[in-house]
């Protein structure tokens, strides 16, 4: 059986949270998700705290600035790049102060190369995704920046095992050729699967961390993500159709972990604990794997990031994730 860095019966979060106080958000994460906490992202702080801007601040020698249409590459670093770096630096200082003694797995999140390439414009306004050379440069820069980021987190959490999550919600659209051009009047050419896999592998291989790829969209390319080196796949449980059973089953059989989004990420009445756990059990039963492996190989999460949720729902949802994971583990004993 594959060894995972977390214990059986574990839950974690996806990434984003409401609010603007990194210390408060981190304390909530540590309190509610002690087995696999993560560095919360707070996009409510504004430009540079969003998914693309936060990761763009990690790019090496590829500065960005903010236009009305979104992020765009610049000739030199300016205040927008510095704002992104300042947000992350503050988060890491808080992390070291609040959780410096953490001695288990700890997850950090960055935007993957394909979602980032679809989010940043070239200097003349087209999306970077349109230009294969720009994508190669971005991927190499991202790989170097992420490697440095992982090393920085490891210095601040010397006893922790770092889990790196690459967020790729835009990858299925890039593969399908449905990403709109900057004008919105047409679509960019589809990315070939081997090219997409190679770029992801470049970033994963550069980072000395346990790799997870998060994709909360439909049509998750399970085989591609496995081929790129992901050891865990993070998905919205509601978006795992039966037509993907072969790919999901092969991933489980190969020892790939599943981070299953089983709890609403935005304000909603939560179903009972039993009703929350049942879709997870039902998915597992479809493949016929032993129940004990479910608790070891499945991590329970919210359906996606929680930036749009109320603080009250965040606490309730994280507790429900933890309780669901624990119940699934106890049922397998």
């Amino acid at each position: 059986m594959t060894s995972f860095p977390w214990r059986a019966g574990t839950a974690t979060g996806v990434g984003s949270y409401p609010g603007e106080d990194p210390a408060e958000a981190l304390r909530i994460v540590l309190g509610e998700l002690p087995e696999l906490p993560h560095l919360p992202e707070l996009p409510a702080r504004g430009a540079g705290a969003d998914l693309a801007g936060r990761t763009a601040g990690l790019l090496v020698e590829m500065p960005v600035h903010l236009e009305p249409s979104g992020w765009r590459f610049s000739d030199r670093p300016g205040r927008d790049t510095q704002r992104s770096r300042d947000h992350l630096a503050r988060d890491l200082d808080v992390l070291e102060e609040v959780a410096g003694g953490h001695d288990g797995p700890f997850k950090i999140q960055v935007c993957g190369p394909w979602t980032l390439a679809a989010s940043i414009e070239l200097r003349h306004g087209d999306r970077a995704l349109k230009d294969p050379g720009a994508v190669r440069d971005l991927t190499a820069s991202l790989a170097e920046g992420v490697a440095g980021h992982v090393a920085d987190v490891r210095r601040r959490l010397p006893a922790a095992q770092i889990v790196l999550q690459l967020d790729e919600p835009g990858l299925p659209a890039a593969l399908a050729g449905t990403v709109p051009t900057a004008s919105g009047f047409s679509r960019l050419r589809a990315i070939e699967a081997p090219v997409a896999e190679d770029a992801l592998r470049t970033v994963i291989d550069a980072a000395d961390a346990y790799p997870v790829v998060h994709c909360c969209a439909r049509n998750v390319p399970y085989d591609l993500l496995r081929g790129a080196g992901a050891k865990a796949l993070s998905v919205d449980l509601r978006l795992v159709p039966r037509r993907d059973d072969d790919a999901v089953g092969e991933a489980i059989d190969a020892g790939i972990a599943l981070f299953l989004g089983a709890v609403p990420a935005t304000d909603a009445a939560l179903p009972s604990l039993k009703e929350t756990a049942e879709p997870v059990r039902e998915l597992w039963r479809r493949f016929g794997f032993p129940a004990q492996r479910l608790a070891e190989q499945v991590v329970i999460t919210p359906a996606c990031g929680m930036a749009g949720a109320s603080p009250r729902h965040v606490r309730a949802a994280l507790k429900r994730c933890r309780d669901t994971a624990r119940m699934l583990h106890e049922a397998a004993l």
Side-chain angles (χ1 to χ4, degrees):
M1 177 64 191
T2 303
S3 176
F4 303 105
W6 52 82
R7 299 176 182 174
T10 286
T12 193
V14 172
S16 63
Y17 285 83
E20 301 181 26
D21 185 342
E24 174 64 15
L26 183 57
R27 290 188 185 101
I28 292 171
V29 168
L30 291 168
E32 299 293 345
L33 304 168
E35 300 295 340
L36 181 50
H38 65 99
L39 185 64
E41 302 160 353
L42 305 175
R45 291 180 293 182
D50 59 293
L51 177 63
R54 182 179 178 88
T55 301
L58 295 174
L59 294 175
V60 177
E61 297 181 355
M62 294 188 77
V64 297
H65 70 278
L66 201 56
E67 293 279 343
S69 58
W71 291 100
R72 183 175 292 184
F73 287 117
S74 305
D75 292 325
R76 61 186 62 85
R79 64 182 181 180
D80 293 329
T81 295
Q82 191 58 49
R83 187 184 298 117
S84 299
R85 293 171 178 170
D86 288 347
H87 281 314
L88 183 57
R90 184 183 177 206
D91 290 351
L92 294 180
D93 287 344
V94 168
L95 174 65
E96 186 173 9
E97 178 183 347
V98 175
H102 181 72
D103 62 356
F106 189 91
K107 183 166 72 71
I108 57 176
Q109 305 83 220
V110 300
C111 190
W114 294 106
T115 300
L116 196 62
S119 303
I120 302 180
E121 296 176 350
L122 301 169
R123 291 175 179 83
H124 54 74
D126 287 324
R127 297 179 190 271
L129 186 64
K130 182 178 181 179
D131 184 336
V135 173
R136 285 193 295 271
D137 291 345
L138 181 152
T139 299
S141 176
L142 179 63
E144 184 178 350
V146 169
H149 179 45
V150 169
D152 191 6
V153 174
R154 184 169 284 115
R155 284 192 295 270
R156 296 167 186 267
L157 302 181
Q161 180 172 358
I162 307 303
V163 175
L164 173 68
Q165 175 180 303
L166 293 177
D167 288 315
E168 280 287 12
L171 178 57
L175 292 168
T178 59
V179 177
T181 59
S183 69
F185 293 121
S186 60
R187 298 290 181 266
L188 297 179
R189 182 180 300 177
I191 303 301
E192 295 181 358
V195 175
E197 182 178 313
D198 185 63
L200 272 171
R201 186 185 303 110
T202 296
V203 179
I204 287 173
D205 287 350
D208 180 21
Y210 190 94
V212 180
V213 177
H214 170 69
C215 185
C216 56
R218 297 184 184 277
N219 301 317
V220 175
Y222 293 96
D223 292 343
L224 185 157
L225 301 181
R226 283 178 54 200
K231 293 184 179 179
L233 306 177
S234 174
V235 297
D236 183 341
L237 180 57
R238 299 169 302 173
L239 303 180
V240 183
R242 285 185 177 271
R243 68 172 182 270
D244 287 343
D245 275 6
D246 286 347
V248 176
E250 288 170 4
I252 295 171
D253 193 46
I256 303 296
L258 294 180
F259 286 34
L260 292 181
V263 176
T266 53
D267 287 37
L270 296 180
S272 69
L273 183 58
K274 181 179 179 181
E275 291 172 320
T276 303
E278 186 53 33
V280 180
R281 286 193 172 115
E282 194 277 329
L283 178 71
W284 202 256
R285 282 196 294 265
R286 293 202 322 237
F287 304 116
F289 292 109
Q292 182 181 359
R293 282 185 64 177
L294 188 162
E296 296 170 347
Q297 206 161 341
V298 170
V299 174
I300 303 298
T301 75
C304 201
M306 305 188 74
S310 67
R312 180 177 180 180
H313 180 75
V314 167
R315 288 182 180 271
L318 296 186
K319 182 178 185 300
R320 176 56 55 84
C321 289
R322 187 181 75 243
D323 291 346
T324 301
R326 187 172 298 161
M327 185 180 78
L328 291 168
H329 177 41
E330 292 173 351
L333 294 177

